[in-house]
Every structure is written in structure tokens, then in C-alpha cells.
Amino acid sequence: MVIGIRRSEPRDHLRLDPPPPLKVLESKLPSCSEETHTPDQRLMPRLSPPFILRAQRIDWLLPVLLRTCRDLQSACNELRWLREHAISLSQQRGSGHGWRARLKSYCIDRGRGKPLQYILGDQPFGDLNILCRPGVLIPRPETEAHTKHLAKLISGNVDKLPSLSIDHDDTARKLRILDLCTGTGCISLLLHNLLKKDIVGLDITGIDLSKDAVRLARENADLICSHSAVTGTRFSDRSSSLTRCTATKPNFFVGDVFSAYVTAPSDGMALKDQVLLDDGIQDILISNPPYVSPKGWNTDTSHSVRKWEPKSALVPVQPRTYQNIDTGDIFYPRLLQIARQKGAQVVLLEVADVDQATRVASMAEKESIWEGIEIWRDWPDETLSPEITEEAKEVQINGRTVAIRGVGHGRSVLCWRHDGAHWVGRDRMRDI
């Protein structure tokens, strides 16, 4: 889930290892510098008739895609992916015919603003392809960036905690990670994929209120862990880069963050077991919760997001116990409470922007249990250029200096204590 204060769009134009380009000379591609991207299609400049005619000469479906893509290179890329998907699906169903009608239908849907991930059925997330379906939020690249950065910190410092080292026997204790508001399961699965080689006992649990989300997360886990993880390719091409999972795959449960209980669904999604959410120890808590205010839903999200993606995954419903808190912030006090109850030593919470990050960091600081707090931007592993002076590098919260790391919008808040300082490489910065 990503906003800037507005949420960035899904990675429509940044899919990994795109297919070979259409046989179109670069000289045929008109300059599209005047066709700018804006948050909502109704605010976009009208495409000129000569521009549309030039696109139509390349392929008659390109003008249909331009209604959403707004620049020709992006439309050409998407047409490639949609064509490949249509041909592949026709072949899987035992016939090479009919793909043109299917492609036309895909292009019409895309021209109406339907997210590319819902049409193609997946989204790259790290080295994984995550299945996507309507009703479950599409994974965002910024979420991927801070997930990878957290895994990098843990992997780089695992030798500081021998009990977690892969060089020790199976009696070594586990690293337990709780992923709340898990959605497609993308965070849990990427952490599992990145940490399984370094952690002897990796135990990851994902929880979401939506049964559709949990069903999809379990399907992603089965596909990635039980069969193979496809690196940099689409699910339709499993012929290369196959990786077997060696660790226990993440488990996913239906549960309400504001309730004490979660439920483990059976294959038919019927309730089976009850697990007290407040019991048991978790070393790390990570969450990408709903954090868009009702006003922000109408003003800061695009038409495509409002029409196609689940509002419940973006805008929180306000419980009665949190009436005095900004609607977009209501998950954070509860998440911090769960982290405290479960003894989490590292917490990473996604937010909308620096302003919300500051409010969440203030909530954490008032708990007086966190030795360190910092804010991560969209790309936390990148460093601001020296000439960029308008971006804040720290903020004062109740007398504490909180570092702001990375490039882009404020995107997440990291808290740590005790051994967690070692895990994220902050053992010499215990009072940031």
C-alpha cells in the first residue's frame, strides 16, 4: 500500500524482464513529452488526433491503451505483455486460436482503467511474482523496497546473533515474524525468500481480515514454496530460474487486528482453530495497514484505485475506542500495542508520508520502550545527493532526534529495542 501523500500507482510500467519489443523502429515512436502523467485520467490533457493516428499506424489497439497509459512507449510495453498473456492462455487451453479476441478484450479493460496486474494476474515483487486478483490490494514497489531493505539489514547482521546462524544445529531458536494486514502475502513471502538461507528456523505468520486476501496469500505460498519460485519471469514461463524453498513456508490466517482472536481457515475457509493474538512471542512485527483517510480516498487516490482496488485495504474503519485519533492513523496504536504484548524487538510500519510517519513515531516514542526510532523514505537504501537540501534528514519528536533515511516520500517507521538493535545494525545507535 503506497501513497505520497497520494498513493503511487502499481508498477504498471516496471515489470521485470519484459518480453522482446514489438518490431517497431524507434523513429516511429512519437515524442510523448507533452503527454504527462497525472493522478486522475479526467485531469489529463487530451491526446491530439495526429498523435492517436500515429499510434494507430503502429497497431490499431494502441489508441485504446493510450486512454490509460497516456504515453506511447508504455502503451507498446503493455500491448506486448497483454498479447503474450492472451497467446499463452489460449495455448494453455489447448488452442492457439481465439487469442486476438481475448487480446482485444484485455485492451478494452485496460483502456477503462483496470489495473494491468488484475488482467495479467500477477505483479513482480523482488524475485517473486505475486498472484493478484480483484478484491485484494496490488503490491507496490515502495513496499517491496522497504521489505528488501529490512531483510538486507537482518541478513547482514545475523552473525551478531549466533543462535540464529545457519551454521548451528536445528535446536537454534527461530526468528518469528508477524505480518499484519498481509494482503497477497507479498511481504511475508519476500522476507521468507530473502532470509531462509541465513536463518535456521524462520517462522512467518501473516494475518488479514479479508478471507479473499488470506485465500490468495495461501495460494501464493503454495505456488512459490511448494512448487517453485520463479525469478524474474512470469508464471506462464516456469522453464528457468527455479528455486526450491528449504524453510517452512509462511502461514496465513484470517483475523481482525482489533480483536483478540485470529482464525485458521481450512481449505474451504471455514473456521477451524482459534489463536489468541495477544499470546506468544514474535521477534519482528511488520505491517502495511490501511492508512488513507476518507477525505484522502476521494482526493489523493486515482480513479483506477477507487474503481478497482478494495477500499477496505486502504481506508480504515474507525473503531469506537479510537474516536480521538485521525482516521488514517487508527491502526497504529493497536499495532504498537500488539508489538508490546508480543515482545517484538523490531517493528516496521508503512505510512503515507512524512507527516503521518512523524505522528506514528510520536506514538512509539510515548511508549518509552523503544531504544531507537527512525523514518524510512520510499527507497531507504538510497542516499540523498548532497545538492538536495529541501528534503529533511531528521525530525525532532518530543526532544528526540529521529533520523529520516533514503529517498522519496516518507514511507515507513522503524522501531527497535534490545536484540533488535543488533538485527537491524543499530546496536551502536541505541538512542536515535
Side-chain angles (χ1 to χ4, degrees):
M1 218 169 49
V2 180
I3 273 193
I5 196 163
R6 62 167 295 94
R7 246 192 205 319
S8 66
E9 290 301 301
R11 194 183 336 183
D12 291 349
H13 308 133
L14 297 176
R15 301 183 64 81
L16 300 177
D17 295 337
L22 290 170
K23 295 180 180 179
V24 178
L25 294 177
E26 289 296 330
S27 59
K28 291 185 178 181
L29 297 179
S31 174
C32 305
S33 58
E34 73 277 9
E35 314 296 350
T36 58
H37 293 270
T38 58
D40 199 324
Q41 185 169 331
R42 65 171 177 257
L43 301 177
M44 292 180 180
R46 180 181 177 183
L47 297 174
S48 65
F51 178 81
I52 295 175
L53 287 173
R54 293 173 72 182
Q56 191 173 32
R57 293 190 191 105
I58 298 172
D59 193 292
W60 70 278
L61 286 172
L62 285 176
V64 180
L65 294 175
L66 283 170
R67 298 171 189 169
T68 294
C69 297
R70 308 303 288 184
D71 78 74
L72 193 55
Q73 188 61 63
S74 297
C76 286
N77 287 338
E78 293 199 4
L79 182 58
R80 277 202 310 274
W81 299 324
L82 293 171
R83 179 182 285 122
E84 276 205 341
H85 185 58
I87 293 173
S88 175
L89 193 58
S90 295
Q91 292 174 342
Q92 289 174 20
R93 295 182 177 179
S95 173
H97 305 290
W99 66 266
R100 290 180 176 84
R102 185 172 285 114
L103 174 61
K104 178 181 177 181
S105 176
Y106 291 160
C107 290
I108 291 173
D109 283 346
R110 182 63 182 139
R112 291 171 176 167
K114 186 173 183 178
L116 186 66
Q117 293 85 346
Y118 288 157
I119 299 173
L120 297 179
D122 63 56
Q123 165 68 12
F125 199 78
D127 288 338
L128 307 177
N129 277 327
I130 299 295
L131 295 177
C132 298
R133 293 200 187 106
V136 184
L137 194 71
I138 297 167
R140 264 53 175 192
E142 294 85 350
T143 305
E144 173 190 329
H146 73 229
T147 302
K148 290 170 66 176
H149 190 59
L150 176 63
K152 179 181 178 180
L153 293 176
I154 296 171
S155 294
N157 293 284
V158 71
D159 59 328
K160 296 180 180 179
L161 289 172
S163 60
L164 298 180
S165 172
I166 201 167
D167 295 328
H168 289 67
D169 61 29
D170 291 338
T171 62
R173 70 180 181 86
K174 297 178 179 180
L175 180 65
R176 296 152 295 191
I177 300 176
L178 180 61
D179 173 20
L180 298 178
C181 309
T182 191
T184 60
C186 58
I187 293 175
S188 293
L189 292 167
L190 184 55
L191 286 174
H192 174 270
N193 188 58
L194 295 173
L195 295 175
K196 63 187 179 184
K197 295 180 181 179
D198 297 319
I199 308 298
V200 173
L202 186 60
D203 183 1
I204 303 178
T205 300
I207 295 174
D208 201 284
L209 180 63
S210 166
K211 290 184 179 180
D212 289 339
V214 172
R215 183 182 293 110
L216 183 58
R218 288 157 63 93
E219 188 174 340
N220 272 315
D222 288 341
L223 185 60
I224 292 170
C225 295
S226 298
H227 302 291
S228 61
V230 182
T231 304
T233 56
R234 292 185 36 73
F235 280 132
S236 57
D237 180 12
R238 300 192 179 99
S239 60
S240 62
S241 301
L242 301 183
T243 304
R244 294 287 178 180
C245 290
T246 56
T248 303
K249 68 180 180 182
N251 294 305
F252 296 100
F253 305 92
V254 175
D256 184 351
V257 167
F258 294 98
S259 172
Y261 290 90
V262 298
T263 56
S266 67
D267 292 339
M269 301 305 291
L271 305 184
K272 188 173 65 173
D273 299 315
Q274 289 191 327
V275 181
L276 188 61
L277 184 59
D278 293 343
D279 282 352
I281 298 298
Q282 293 290 337
D283 301 309
I284 297 175
L285 185 148
I286 187 168
S287 181
N288 181 12
Y291 52 64
V292 182
S293 68
K295 180 181 178 181
W297 170 258
N298 294 319
T299 60
D300 300 328
T301 58
S302 71
H303 174 73
S304 176
V305 169
R306 293 193 300 273
K307 182 177 180 180
W308 294 100
E309 299 203 62
K311 184 177 181 180
S312 60
L314 295 163
V315 181
V317 177
Q318 191 163 22
R320 294 180 180 179
T321 53
Y322 295 95
Q323 292 296 315
N324 296 324
I325 297 177
D326 183 280
T327 305
D329 296 348
I330 61 175
F331 266 77
Y332 299 109
R334 175 58 176 155
L335 292 171
L336 290 168
Q337 179 187 39
I338 294 172
R340 183 173 64 253
Q341 292 169 336
K342 299 188 77 63
Q345 299 184 55
V346 174
V347 171
L348 184 62
L349 305 176
E350 186 163 333
V351 297
D353 54 24
V354 169
D355 288 341
Q356 189 172 51
T358 301
R359 296 196 299 271
V360 174
S362 179
M363 296 176 194
E365 197 279 333
K366 289 177 181 178
E367 291 196 334
S368 300
I369 64 171
W370 301 105
E371 298 172 13
I373 303 170
E374 64 186 34
I375 294 171
W376 289 357
R377 296 186 183 274
D378 291 328
W379 317 111
D381 57 347
E382 296 184 14
T383 304
L384 287 173
S385 300
E387 61 270 17
I388 299 178
T389 58
E390 65 274 15
E391 297 284 356
K393 297 182 180 180
E394 62 183 33
V395 63
Q396 294 293 321
I397 298 177
N398 301 328
R400 170 184 283 193
T401 299
V402 174
I404 303 178
R405 304 186 185 279
V407 176
H409 297 291
R411 190 58 61 203
S412 52
V413 175
L414 176 73
C415 308
W416 66 87
R417 58 177 173 166
H418 308 321
D419 287 343
H422 298 279
W423 301 343
V424 295
R426 302 296 189 264
D427 43 308
R428 295 183 180 180
M429 307 163 58
R430 302 184 78 98
D431 194 29
I432 290 180

